[in-house]
Amino acid sequence: MSNKPLLPTTEALRALDQAHHLHPFTDVGAYQKSGGRIVTRGEHIYFYDSEGSKVLDGMSGLWCCNLGYSQPKIVEAIHEQLQVLPFYNNFFQCSNDMAVKMAEAMAQVTPEHLNHVFFTNSGSEANDTNIKIVHRYYQILGKPEKKHFIARNNAYHGSTVAASSLSGMTFMHDQYTGIDYVHHIQQPYYFGEGGDLTPEEFGLQAARELEKKIEELGEDKVAAFIAEPIQGAGGVIIPPDTYWPEIQRICNEHDILLISDEVICGFGRTGSWFGCQTYGFKPDLMTFAKAVTNGFQALGGVMISDKIAEVLAQGKGDFAHGMTYSGHPVACAAGLATLDILRSQHTIENMAKEIGPYFEQRWKSLEDHPIVGEARAKNMVAALELVKHKGSKERLAPNAAASIVCRDQAIKEGLLVRAVGEAMVCAPPIVCSKQDIDTIIERMFRALDYTAKQYLR
Ligand SMILES: *Cc1c(COP(=O)(O)O)cnc(C)c1O
């Protein structure tokens, strides 16, 4: 007999899960009735569930396991660090060597003018940190009334109180009172909101919504604009090429700080190290999390420009902010190992030459399917829009029901993708091979066929 403990059965696990575990972004009552899939193992780009199904993970965990699930160097780094220094904080004139090394490494891999980092445990906390840094910055400059933030409809910046205020998802705002110095403008969602404009015209128009909002609130009151280079959780909204240069111009001319939330776009997803490099803009602050440790440890943070750091250094007294685990040595060890792999193997540069363009091209071929109104992709992040008839934007079913059918069928075909409204989104590990990409496309196509049969009889 083996001395391994017997694993609980799926039914037993599911019952315990339903009895004791409240899940993020999940309907509490419905889940207590239905339960969910219980994932028990990950290997390369696949995960396995408690029933033995093997699924190609087209979402890289939750946009975080960019290098897949098998990365022994990261695991070893975590293991080693736990034996040497499992914890030490960074408060009160202290530091730990792993946080120092990780701070240096982040300064090296991010754009040249970003050389300072504040560590958090998550993207949400990092965006809260952004607000506190920006408010402190303007207080020190003697402009405390410059405190308003502008974000975008359908943005996702996390789920703490401040981060969900920055987020532009109305269903989140319906459940609590957001903070009152955050305002939202139009998103650059061409398929959904572009009307009769060309993508170029629409990109400029959507960007100029920022200028209008600044003029409405008053330049002396607006502190910063925050946005994801490509909106991820909102449905992979890829902006027209005219969008970001116009945003940069507006921020410069009106003296507004620009914050790039790179929690999804960072670490290769869009073909450069960071999304701001793909789109050629220069943020004052940059949020990171998720793929920084390949999802293996909880780590996030804010990269801070030299210009802002210089002002912060002039403030009198403590910057009153920090988490017990800010710069946790084990999380930083995982981050260092992740950056080391990306740098020494040139993972991002290689992917941007070959696999990224291949995925883009194969994903865009899904537009040939009769129920796909648009298939869009930027390197290793993609979405498609389900419609009833090609050329029209009429949807297959009310309340985005078709995308749920399509997602569930894709999982049955062995591919995890997500349904966001009427769109299907996909962000596979950047270590996929061409053959893996072909598998993704074949499975997606079969799920689309199945969905079409359900609605077009
Ligand atoms: C996931 C996400 C966040 C929040 O990060 P958490 O680690 O879940 O708090 C913030 N911004 C973006 C763009 C994200 O995708």
Side-chain angles (χ1 to χ4, degrees):
M1 239 175 86
S2 120
N3 54 9
K4 267 193 183 167
L6 277 179
L7 282 176
T9 62
T10 295
E11 292 76 67
L13 280 171
R14 208 170 266 155
L16 291 169
D17 190 30
Q18 287 159 262
H20 300 298
H21 184 188
L22 289 196
H23 289 249
F25 288 98
T26 298
D27 180 322
V28 177
Y31 193 84
Q32 281 174 356
K33 292 197 192 80
S34 68
R37 168 187 305 279
I38 298 176
V39 174
T40 51
R41 193 157 77 81
E43 197 180 301
H44 188 40
I45 61 168
Y46 289 90
F47 66 77
Y48 296 77
D49 68 19
S50 59
E51 290 170 314
S53 303
K54 177 183 177 185
V55 181
L56 196 163
D57 190 356
M59 285 308 298
S60 306
L62 201 53
W63 320 84
C64 46
C65 303
N66 283 6
L67 302 173
Y69 294 98
S70 306
Q71 288 296 342
K73 288 208 173 127
I74 307 174
V75 177
E76 272 162 35
I78 292 168
H79 185 227
E80 251 169 53
Q81 187 57 36
L82 278 168
Q83 291 166 314
V84 180
L85 181 70
F87 175 70
Y88 204 77
N89 72 74
N90 293 282
F91 286 43
F92 316 133
Q93 279 73 45
C94 267
S95 204
N96 70 66
D97 59 343
M98 279 298 141
V100 176
K101 288 183 193 163
M102 185 58 184
E104 183 204 20
M106 283 301 297
Q108 287 167 347
V109 301
T110 51
E112 215 173 325
H113 66 293
L114 301 172
N115 290 306
H116 311 268
V117 60
F118 194 99
F119 288 117
T120 66
N121 312 294
S122 68
S124 302
E125 290 170 342
N127 282 326
D128 281 40
T129 301
N130 274 322
I131 294 180
K132 289 176 89 171
I133 289 175
V134 168
H135 282 183
R136 176 83 172 145
Y137 171 80
Y138 283 119
Q139 270 167 11
I140 294 170
L141 289 178
K143 300 178 186 171
E145 69 290 348
K146 215 164 152 64
K147 65 170 194 183
H148 288 260
F149 279 70
I150 300 174
R152 301 182 300 185
N153 297 333
N154 195 36
Y156 188 72
H157 296 298
S159 73
T160 54
V161 171
S164 33
S165 295
L166 294 172
S167 295
M169 293 172 168
T170 47
F171 76 96
M172 288 170 74
H173 296 177
D174 289 346
Q175 294 180 14
Y176 80 104
T177 310
I179 52 184
D180 61 8
Y181 50 78
V182 176
H183 312 267
H184 293 90
I185 58 167
Q186 185 179 25
Q187 57 178 332
Y189 177 27
Y190 181 68
F191 184 82
E193 300 172 15
D196 296 330
L197 300 178
T198 64
E200 291 71 28
E201 289 165 345
F202 176 68
L204 289 177
Q205 182 205 281
R208 285 174 192 157
E209 290 296 311
L210 174 61
E211 200 154 41
K212 275 196 213 151
K213 185 57 91 178
I214 295 169
E215 279 157 10
E216 178 194 320
L217 296 166
E219 201 172 301
D220 52 342
K221 301 236 167 35
V222 179
F225 174 64
I226 181 168
E228 305 151 81
I230 291 174
Q231 282 150 272
V236 183
I237 310 299
I238 301 176
D241 287 339
T242 49
Y243 183 76
W244 275 111
E246 186 67 0
I247 291 286
Q248 178 82 69
R249 174 193 71 76
I250 293 166
C251 288
N252 291 351
E253 284 181 17
H254 295 271
D255 186 26
I256 307 297
L257 296 174
L258 177 53
I259 308 175
S260 187
D261 183 341
E262 299 268 358
V263 174
I264 285 176
C265 294
F267 309 100
R269 185 58 60 198
T270 69
S272 318
W273 272 79
F274 296 93
C276 60
Q277 295 163 323
T278 299
Y279 287 103
F281 67 95
K282 195 173 163 192
D284 298 287
L285 296 155
M286 198 171 94
T287 317
F288 65 91
K290 293 193 173 122
V292 63
T293 61
N294 202 39
F296 288 12
Q297 286 284 296
L299 181 67
V302 176
M303 290 305 300
I304 300 149
S305 69
D306 297 337
K307 169 180 116 177
I308 292 180
E310 268 165 37
V311 172
L312 294 179
Q314 292 158 22
K316 296 225 165 46
D318 290 350
F319 174 48
H321 183 64
M323 272 64 71
T324 299
Y325 299 138
S326 291
H328 193 293
V330 180
C332 288
L336 268 173
T338 304
L339 296 186
D340 191 47
I341 293 169
L342 292 174
R343 288 203 276 189
S344 63
Q345 300 183 7
H346 307 286
T347 318
I348 295 169
E349 295 76 10
N350 293 338
M351 172 209 56
K353 265 188 232 137
E354 198 166 0
I355 283 301
Y358 185 72
F359 177 62
E360 269 187 22
Q361 171 224 324
R362 291 300 323 266
W363 185 269
K364 284 182 185 161
S365 76
L366 290 168
E367 236 172 54
D368 296 341
H369 197 283
I371 61 167
V372 175
E374 179 183 86
R376 53 181 181 265
K378 190 84 176 177
N379 214 69
M380 293 298 271
V381 58
L384 58 79
E385 300 276 352
L386 296 177
V387 292
K388 197 163 189 171
H389 308 288
K390 255 207 175 338
S392 93
K393 292 184 182 172
E394 193 189 338
R395 299 300 188 169
L396 279 165
N399 304 321
S403 61
I404 302 293
V405 167
C406 187
R407 177 201 63 194
D408 290 348
Q409 185 60 27
I411 296 173
K412 284 191 188 135
E413 302 285 352
L415 172 68
L416 188 110
V417 286
R418 236 168 92 183
V420 178
E422 316 270 357
M424 308 305 303
V425 310
C426 184
I430 66 177
V431 292
C432 281
S433 66
K434 284 190 174 172
Q435 212 178 344
D436 297 329
I437 303 289
D438 292 343
T439 305
I440 291 173
I441 302 303
E442 279 157 26
R443 291 177 183 181
M444 194 67 234
F445 208 88
R446 284 205 291 274
L448 288 166
D449 272 349
Y450 176 90
T451 310
K453 276 202 204 99
Q454 302 310 301
Y455 291 102
L456 306 176
R457 287 168 208 264

